[in-house]
Each structure stands twice: as structure tokens, then as C-alpha cells.
Amino acid sequence: MSVRHTVTVHDRQHGTVLQAELEEGRYVLEGFEAAGKPLPFSCRNGCCTTCAVRVLSGELDQREALGLSHELRSQGYGLLCVARVKGPLTVETQDEDEVYMLQFGNAFGKGQVRRAIPLEEE
Ligand code: FES
């Protein structure tokens, strides 16, 4: 019989709290989807950081999170698409592009590349 743990996600953008009982070793994103509680994602391969969260309590097994630096992992960030349940866990969603900019922002010569044409002119 597999051990299950309570995983809680505070979705700051929608002001909601999602919770699921997930088997140890299961991918968090996939587990929430199976429970009918989809979370933000894009690549599903641990590369784009769309699914990034801040860990409030507990730990993730994220040895497959190639797109997240060890520094950001040690600061408490995680990628739910490739993170496996290790025990009880509480996380909160990141601000838009927060982890992406923390990780890659200083690689841009003059900051983030902006649109040449404002959206309202298209
Ligand atoms: S969905 Fe892209 S890193 Fe998780």
C-alpha cells in the first residue's frame, strides 16, 4: 500500500487554496490534474518555470528539475511538473515570471525584451 501525503497549493493569482492527497513519489502537477485540480504549466519538462512555486513547508523531490538552479532550489523554489511528493507539503504560486527573471534575468543585456508594438495598436 502506498503512502499518501497532503499537498496544499495556495494559488495567489486566483485567491484559492487547492489540496490533494497524493502518493509518495507521484509528480505533484500530474497528481493535482488527476484529482481534477489543474495547476499552471507549459513545458511539463522542468524547463520553462511556468509551474514554479515557493515552498512554505515540507520538501520536494526535484532531482529532475533541470530548469531550476541549485541556488533557487535552496531558496525554496520548486517546479511542480517534475517535483515528486516526499511528504506533507505546502507551496504558493509565484508572481508572474518571478523565477524565470531570478534565474535568467541577468543574462539579458538590457533587461527583458519588450514588444515593439503595444498590444492596443495591433
Ligand atoms: S511546466 Fe515548464 S517547468 Fe514546469
Side-chain angles (χ1 to χ4, degrees):
M1 190 170 118
S2 62
V3 178
R4 290 175 168 254
H5 300 287
T6 302
V7 179
T8 305
V9 178
H10 293 264
D11 183 340
R12 295 168 54 243
Q13 285 68 34
H14 298 101
T16 57
V17 179
L18 305 173
Q19 201 164 65
E21 298 292 320
L22 302 181
E23 301 88 8
E24 197 166 301
R26 189 166 193 177
Y27 289 116
V28 176
L29 178 71
E30 186 274 330
F32 270 77
E33 289 171 339
K37 301 171 183 177
L39 298 168
F41 71 90
S42 184
C43 72
R44 302 180 76 91
N45 286 313
C47 294
C48 72
T49 71
T50 301
C51 66
V53 292
R54 281 187 285 264
V55 176
L56 301 178
S57 67
E59 263 184 275
L60 291 164
D61 172 356
Q62 50 180 350
R63 69 188 97 159
E64 299 169 51
L66 301 177
L68 190 62
S69 69
H70 288 285
E71 183 184 350
L72 288 176
R73 289 185 209 188
S74 69
Q75 291 174 21
Y77 290 98
L79 300 178
L80 294 187
C81 67
V82 291
R84 294 176 187 264
V85 176
K86 242 178 134 172
L89 176 73
T90 302
V91 300
E92 66 177 4
T93 54
Q94 63 169 336
D95 293 326
E96 184 179 357
D97 293 337
E98 176 182 342
V99 171
Y100 186 85
M101 291 309 293
L102 282 172
Q103 188 157 246
F104 304 117
N106 61 5
F108 302 129
K110 295 180 179 176
Q112 191 173 17
V113 178
R114 302 280 175 199
R115 293 177 61 89
I117 303 168
L119 286 174
E120 57 273 6
E121 292 182 19
E122 288 184 331

